[in-house]
């Protein structure tokens, strides 16, 4: 989570959201919560693409 502390604005928010999504994916894969893990994977892929775009443009 150190990356979030150093990142600002939209980049920091995207990194934070990715962290939460990976945590949710872990919960789903280990059976702690119900739901389709593919839904979370789709969100992760979207946010990774957004982070890549933000980093390339900055």
């Amino acid at each position: 989570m150190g990356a979030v502390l150093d990142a600002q604005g939209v980049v920091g928010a995207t990194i934070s959201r990715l962290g939460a999504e990976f945590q949710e994916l872990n919960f789903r894969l280990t059976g702690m919560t119900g739901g389709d893990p593919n839904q979370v994977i789709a969100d992760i892929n979207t946010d990774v693409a957004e982070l890549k775009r933000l980093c390339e443009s900055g």
Side-chain angles (χ1 to χ4, degrees), residues 19-37:
E21 289 166 349
F22 276 108
Q23 185 175 32
E24 176 66 22
L25 180 60
N26 179 57
F27 291 157
R28 290 186 187 199
L29 291 174
T30 59
M32 292 176 67
T33 61
D36 183 5

Side-chain angles (χ1 to χ4, degrees), residues 38-56:
N38 291 317
Q39 293 171 329
V40 179
I41 292 169
D43 292 339
I44 290 170
N45 287 336
T46 298
D47 285 334
V48 166
E50 175 67 7
L51 185 60
K52 182 178 177 185
R53 185 191 67 76
L54 289 168
C55 290
E56 288 174 346

Side-chain angles (χ1 to χ4, degrees), residues 8-23:
Q8 298 177 1
V10 178
V11 172
T14 303
I15 293 170
S16 181
R17 192 169 49 250
L18 277 166
E21 289 166 349
F22 276 108
Q23 185 175 32

